[in-house]
Each structure stands twice: as structure tokens, then as C-alpha cells.
Amino acid sequence: MDYFDLVATEAFNRKLTSAEIEDGLTIAAKNIAECIGTPQQTDRTVVLLSRFVYSDTDRCSDKATSIALGILKTLGREIKHSEDITTKRALEGFLDIAEQAHSRVESSNNSGPGIEQNNYVSLICEEALTCVANAMLLRPECKQRFSGAHGFDVIVRILDSKSKSPTIDFLCGRCILLSLASSSDNIERLVTSLRLQTALAKKTRLYLDQEAETLISVSRFSPQQVMAELLKASMCLCVGFQKSVGGNKNISDDSIPPEYAADFAQLLSVSLDTIRLLPVPSAGHLAEASKQAFSIALNFSTLHPETIKTLWLPDTGDRWINVDKIYNIFDALVKSAVGNKSTKDNADTANAPGKYQVELTPVTLVLVRLMAEHIDVRERILERVYPQANKTEYNKLPVDRSGISGRLVRLLSIPQGGMLPGAIGDFLLTLLSQDVKQFIMATGYGNAAGYLLARGIDIPTDVLKEVGSGLADQNPVDPVTGRAFDQEEIDRELAAMTTEEKEREAERLFVLFERLNKTGVIKVQNPVRAAQESGRFHELSSDEE
């Protein structure tokens, strides 16, 4: 007989047996879909809460309890008629059941009851945490109830265990993520008292070690999936805490204040190790855990305090272990995004920001911060982006260069590219020591103008009169095109031109500069007119022709 029918006819003052409860719940679980969205949904929710959550009346076995919680999980997926399952009292009950079950799993990991019973105990914890997560997902007000029900205290105690329970740990991360998605009044307590960031870091480290050992996971969630969820929760904690202390102290920097950063050292450490140890898939996209690790790393200065600085740039061993790995990931993502062809020949380039923005933008901004705060990092990356050994590349237009510098210019100049072109511009400008003239010469005026305008950076009025030699060694650079001058090549081109071709080119340039001056795009003296006025250029007579 269906469990709810048994409870309804329990007028004989006889306590239900374990077999009746288990069999009745099994039948009820099969029929539960029939009552979803009807008044019966509320009635059955109340029965299960009163007999399994608020009391242990029918908790005759772990199997029965896990089935009952599974039914409540199903009933709690619909917002209609779910009021009872989302109350503070219900959340407290679910959290209490989850913690008790997890404690039993912990104590029986090495010795204790058989595997089958242990699986039921784990399932109890999983189902109870799922009910909590569903409640917060359905009703925003439950996020505050979760905190009021000491939900974070329970979650930290579960995470502090040294063992791995992938589904349970994933659900812990999900509960934290959902609760912190809205403003939390006591987020400083989570950091300073509960040390939530440390619990998240230690648990993430366990799964990173498992992933590094290439151990096979037979759980519902892989190590990388659990890591990603825990790191998402960590990211929420970092951002929320930064806003909390920043708002109180009027901090303008976009990183966690130095006096608190050391509290997050373990979290930054596991994030950098995740970046370094997880491979970049052949398809060119980052693993979800790596994406979250980069987002977390963005919340930290690379200069202070010393404990944080040495995580970025170790004092012992390989100083460049993190910088080189981050740059290699950046290079691989850029290469996957735009390939080797110029923008006009590569249809996929226009779609690159949409496909790669989420993962490439944080990677780019991490490098920007490292270069901005460490000159030696900037110099190391400068040589990789603009290698002096390959000088012939600078005779090409920036967008046509085969190396990473050409790909970056293509990304920079993509219209409606969201945040990515701006991040690429920040990268190049920082790489060139914030020198706007060098930036224009490295990318070409047309490619640089949009970025500079968007960032509110003034374009030097004399930039079109300037030539530079910084990137192409001693070769002067045309600031309009970003192409290095090759006098021998220019002489050959001029020698090959007829007199009529030279006249047409001079006339074309004259008209072009006059039009640019009139439209206000640039305000410089027309070079053709200047040549005429200085006597360096004159019309040929019919005899000279």
C-alpha cells in the first residue's frame, strides 16, 4: 500500500513497521508525479516533513529516510505548493539530517557497516542538501533563511572533513554559491570566524590531487566538476568579501585589501596550481575549473602582502613557473580564437569574442596585472610578443603578421567584441609601458583608434609626424599603418613606378589628407602641400616629362 494511504488509515493506533514504511515509500515514489501541482503536493509535503524532518517518527531505517528525502526533493522542484519545504524550520531540519548523516559516513569510512548501508547514509546527506539547494533556487528569500539556519556553519563542518564525497562536496559548493549570489550581511564572519575560504581551498586541493594522479572517478561528479563548483563558490566569496570591506573602507582598488589577502593565501595557491596543472584541451577551450581559477586570481594583487607576492612569483625554484604557464595558456587561446589569417580572410575571427570572451578575457587581465606590477614580467612577455629575432615580420602590416602580435591586433579591431577587445588593448598598452605612441605604431592608427576612444585616452596630436624604432629595433615605423619602413623596399617600389603612377599616387594622398582634415579625423598639415611649399616637390613641365 502507498505510504500516504498507510498514514491516512493509521487509525488503529498501530505503529507502522519498517517493512511497511519502506515498501509504502517505494510505491509512493513511483506515483509521486501524479500529485505535482495539485493540493495533494502540499499535503504529502507536510506529512513527510512532520514524520521524517521535524521528528524521527518514521525514520525506521536509512533506506526509508533516503526514499522520503528523495520524494521531498521531487516535491520541492516546483515553486507552486512548495512553501512548507522552504521555511526556516525545514531548512534547519534538512541541514541537521545532512550533518548527522555525513558524520556517520566519516566514522564508517574505514570500518563499520556494510557498503549498502553506507551508501544509503551518503544518499541521505545528498538528498537533504539537494532539498536545501532547491529551496534557495526556487525562492530567493531562502538564501537569508539558510544563513539564519546556521547553514554556513554546517557546510564548513562538512567541508572540513579530510575525506572526499564528490556529490556531497559538489552540493556544499552549490549551496554556498546560491546563498552568496545575493548580498550577505555576515560575509566578514564567514571569512574571519568560519574561515570558509580555507575550507573551500583544502577541499579543492583534495580533488586537484586526485585529478593530477589521473585517478578514475566512479562518482556522479568528476573531480574537475567538483573543483569547478567549489571554485565558483570561492569566487563568490572573494567578490562578496571585497565589496564588503571595500565599501566600509572606501577602497578603490579592485583587489582584496592587503590586510585581508593573507587570509585567502590557500585559496590563491590552489587556484594557481589549478591553472598550472590542468591541461588546456586540444579544442582550445579551458576546463571549467581553470576558468574559475583565473577569475579568483583576478581578485589578488601580485605585489602585496609578501605571502601573496611569493605565490605569484616564488622566491625559490622557478620564479617564472606561473607567469610562463599563464602566458602559454593565453597564447594557445589566442591561437585557437583567430588562427593565422588576417581578419578580412578569416570569417571565424568575427565570432571569436563570443566563443572565447568568457575564458580569454580573465586570462588577459591576469597578465595585464602581472605586467603592470612587475617590470621584469613585462620585459619577459614583450620578447615573446615582439621577438627581435624575427625583424622581417615588422615589414608587414600588424594585422598580417603571423605571430601572436598579429592575432592580437585582429582581436583588438573586431567591432562589437564585448569586453575582449578592450582587454587585448589593455594588454598591449601595458606591454608597451603605457606609451600611446608606441601602441599606435605597434597596431596601426586605424586599429588603435577605437580602443583609445573607448578608454577615453587622448591620441597625441603629433603622432602622425612621429616615427619610432622601439619594436622593430632600429627600423622606423609608419604610425598610420604600424608597418616598419624598409628603405630599400621603398626605393625598389618607387623605381618600378612610372611617372604617371607617381603623379596619381601623389594626387590620391593629397585628396585623402585634405578629406581627413576637413572631417576632423586628423589635424595635420597635408604632407603633399608641405612638400610643394618647401620646394621639395614641384610639377613637371612638358619638357621634363
Side-chain angles (χ1 to χ4, degrees):
M1 183 181 293
D2 184 296
Y3 171 78
F4 297 103
D5 293 333
L6 285 171
V7 172
T9 58
E10 197 181 30
F12 306 105
N13 293 323
R14 178 180 63 81
K15 185 174 178 65
L16 298 176
T17 66
S18 296
E20 287 176 325
I21 294 171
E22 289 180 2
D23 293 343
L25 286 168
T26 301
I27 296 171
K30 294 178 181 178
N31 301 329
I32 197 62
E34 299 173 2
C35 75
I36 298 295
T38 70
Q40 274 191 328
Q41 179 179 347
T42 301
D43 297 338
R44 298 191 173 192
T45 299
V46 170
V47 169
L48 290 175
L49 287 173
S50 63
R51 300 174 76 94
F52 283 92
V53 179
Y54 303 152
S55 70
D56 60 358
T57 302
D58 284 346
R59 289 190 215 168
C60 58
S61 67
D62 294 327
K63 179 180 178 181
T65 304
S66 65
I67 297 173
L69 291 171
I71 296 173
L72 282 170
K73 176 185 70 177
T74 303
L75 294 172
R77 285 176 177 160
E78 295 291 334
I79 191 167
K80 190 176 181 181
H81 304 297
S82 65
E83 294 86 353
D84 294 289
I85 210 170
T86 59
T87 63
K88 181 182 176 182
R89 185 184 180 193
L91 292 180
E92 288 175 336
F94 288 132
L95 289 166
D96 184 59
I97 291 172
E99 185 172 18
Q100 289 182 31
H102 186 263
S103 297
R104 291 176 57 198
V105 171
E106 279 288 286
S107 63
S108 62
N109 267 335
N110 298 321
S111 61
I115 295 176
E116 183 177 1
Q117 183 178 350
N118 204 18
N119 285 343
Y120 279 126
V121 178
S122 295
L123 187 58
I124 289 172
C125 184
E126 293 169 13
E127 301 286 34
L129 289 174
T130 303
C131 288
V132 174
N134 284 347
M136 287 192 284
L137 189 62
L138 284 177
R139 297 181 178 274
E141 62 270 22
C142 282
K143 296 172 184 178
Q144 291 298 327
R145 294 173 188 166
F146 173 81
S147 180
H150 304 291
F152 287 109
D153 301 66
V154 173
I155 294 298
V156 168
R157 287 194 289 268
I158 293 176
L159 289 176
D160 273 339
S161 64
K162 296 181 180 180
S163 63
K164 298 188 297 290
S165 301
T167 303
I168 293 174
D169 294 332
F170 179 94
L171 289 167
C172 284
R174 178 61 56 88
C175 287
I176 295 170
L177 180 64
L178 289 170
S179 181
L180 292 180
S182 62
S183 59
S184 179
D185 297 332
N186 61 349
I187 198 164
E188 291 187 54
R189 172 180 172 268
L190 304 183
V191 171
T192 57
S193 297
L194 292 183
R195 308 285 299 174
L196 176 58
Q197 73 281 7
T198 303
L200 286 166
K202 288 181 177 179
K203 189 61 72 173
T204 304
R205 174 76 64 186
L206 287 177
Y207 288 97
L208 178 60
D209 293 342
Q210 180 180 348
E211 182 69 17
E213 295 169 6
T214 63
L215 298 177
I216 298 175
S217 173
V218 295
S219 176
R220 174 182 168 191
F221 297 102
S222 69
Q224 282 201 33
Q225 288 176 311
V226 181
M227 287 172 60
E229 199 67 18
L230 293 172
L231 289 171
K232 285 179 187 177
S234 302
M235 176 60 184
C236 251
L237 181 66
C238 287
V239 173
F241 182 73
Q242 177 189 320
K243 289 180 179 178
S244 175
V245 297
N248 295 338
K249 299 178 180 295
N250 194 28
I251 294 173
S252 58
D253 189 13
D254 60 349
S255 59
I256 293 173
E259 62 266 32
Y260 296 103
D263 292 334
F264 289 82
Q266 290 189 46
L267 190 55
L268 176 61
S269 176
V270 76
S271 297
L272 292 175
D273 287 347
T274 298
I275 291 169
R276 197 174 65 253
L277 296 176
L278 293 188
V280 178
S282 57
H285 288 283
L286 288 177
E288 188 62 36
S290 296
K291 294 179 190 177
Q292 300 303 323
F294 272 109
S295 296
I296 291 172
L298 267 177
N299 288 278
F300 294 88
S301 167
T302 66
L303 279 175
H304 43 252
E306 192 65 23
T307 52
I308 295 297
K309 178 183 176 181
T310 54
L311 289 175
W312 285 102
L313 300 166
D315 287 337
T316 58
D318 185 359
R319 172 177 173 79
W320 305 110
I321 188 170
N322 292 316
V323 173
D324 287 347
K325 178 63 177 182
I326 294 170
Y327 179 81
N328 289 339
I329 291 173
F330 173 73
D331 183 63
L333 290 176
V334 170
K335 188 179 296 184
S336 297
V338 296
N340 288 316
K341 296 181 180 180
S342 63
T343 306
K344 62 183 179 182
D345 297 325
N346 187 2
D348 291 337
T349 301
N351 299 319
K355 294 191 294 183
Y356 287 89
Q357 181 171 186
V358 172
E359 50 203 276
L360 186 49
T361 300
V363 178
T364 306
L365 294 177
V366 168
L367 286 174
V368 169
R369 167 159 277 175
L370 281 162
M371 291 190 298
E373 297 180 346
H374 301 277
I375 295 176
D376 55 349
V377 173
R378 183 186 65 79
E379 291 174 345
R380 187 177 182 86
I381 295 177
L382 180 65
E383 175 58 29
R384 297 188 66 173
V385 177
Y386 295 106
Q388 296 300 318
N390 196 10
K391 297 176 184 177
T392 57
E393 281 288 297
Y394 300 113
N395 296 331
K396 301 177 183 178
L397 293 173
V399 77
D400 290 330
R401 293 170 188 160
S402 60
I404 188 173
S405 63
R407 300 187 189 103
L408 292 175
V409 174
R410 287 167 230 157
L411 287 174
L412 173 68
S413 57
I414 294 175
Q416 299 177 341
M419 295 175 61
L420 181 55
I424 296 297
D426 293 341
F427 173 86
L428 290 171
L429 189 58
T430 304
L431 186 66
L432 299 170
S433 304
Q434 303 295 325
D435 188 324
V436 178
K437 291 182 182 179
Q438 284 289 332
F439 176 74
I440 291 174
M441 285 185 249
T443 61
Y445 185 89
N447 298 317
Y451 163 77
L452 295 173
L453 180 64
R455 287 288 190 261
I457 300 173
D458 292 333
I459 300 174
T461 56
D462 61 343
V463 70
L464 295 180
K465 297 180 182 178
E466 299 286 337
V467 292
S469 60
L471 299 180
D473 202 2
Q474 297 305 311
N475 296 330
V477 177
D478 179 351
V480 175
T481 65
R483 181 181 178 184
F485 289 114
D486 185 332
Q487 191 60 48
E488 292 182 1
E489 182 182 349
I490 294 172
D491 291 341
R492 286 194 300 270
E493 291 178 355
L494 287 173
M497 294 173 70
T498 66
T499 301
E500 290 79 8
E501 288 173 335
K502 292 177 182 178
E503 288 181 344
R504 285 197 298 270
E505 183 66 15
E507 183 178 356
R508 187 186 69 81
L509 289 173
F510 182 88
V511 173
L512 174 62
F513 274 87
E514 287 296 299
R515 183 183 302 154
L516 292 174
N517 270 310
K518 288 179 181 179
T519 56
V521 175
I522 57 174
K523 290 294 181 183
V524 295
Q525 186 176 12
N526 190 317
V528 180
R529 186 188 298 279
Q532 287 177 326
E533 294 174 352
S534 66
R536 291 183 289 109
F537 175 82
H538 66 276
E539 295 185 14
L540 296 175
S541 66
S542 57
D543 293 337
E544 290 175 307
E545 292 180 355

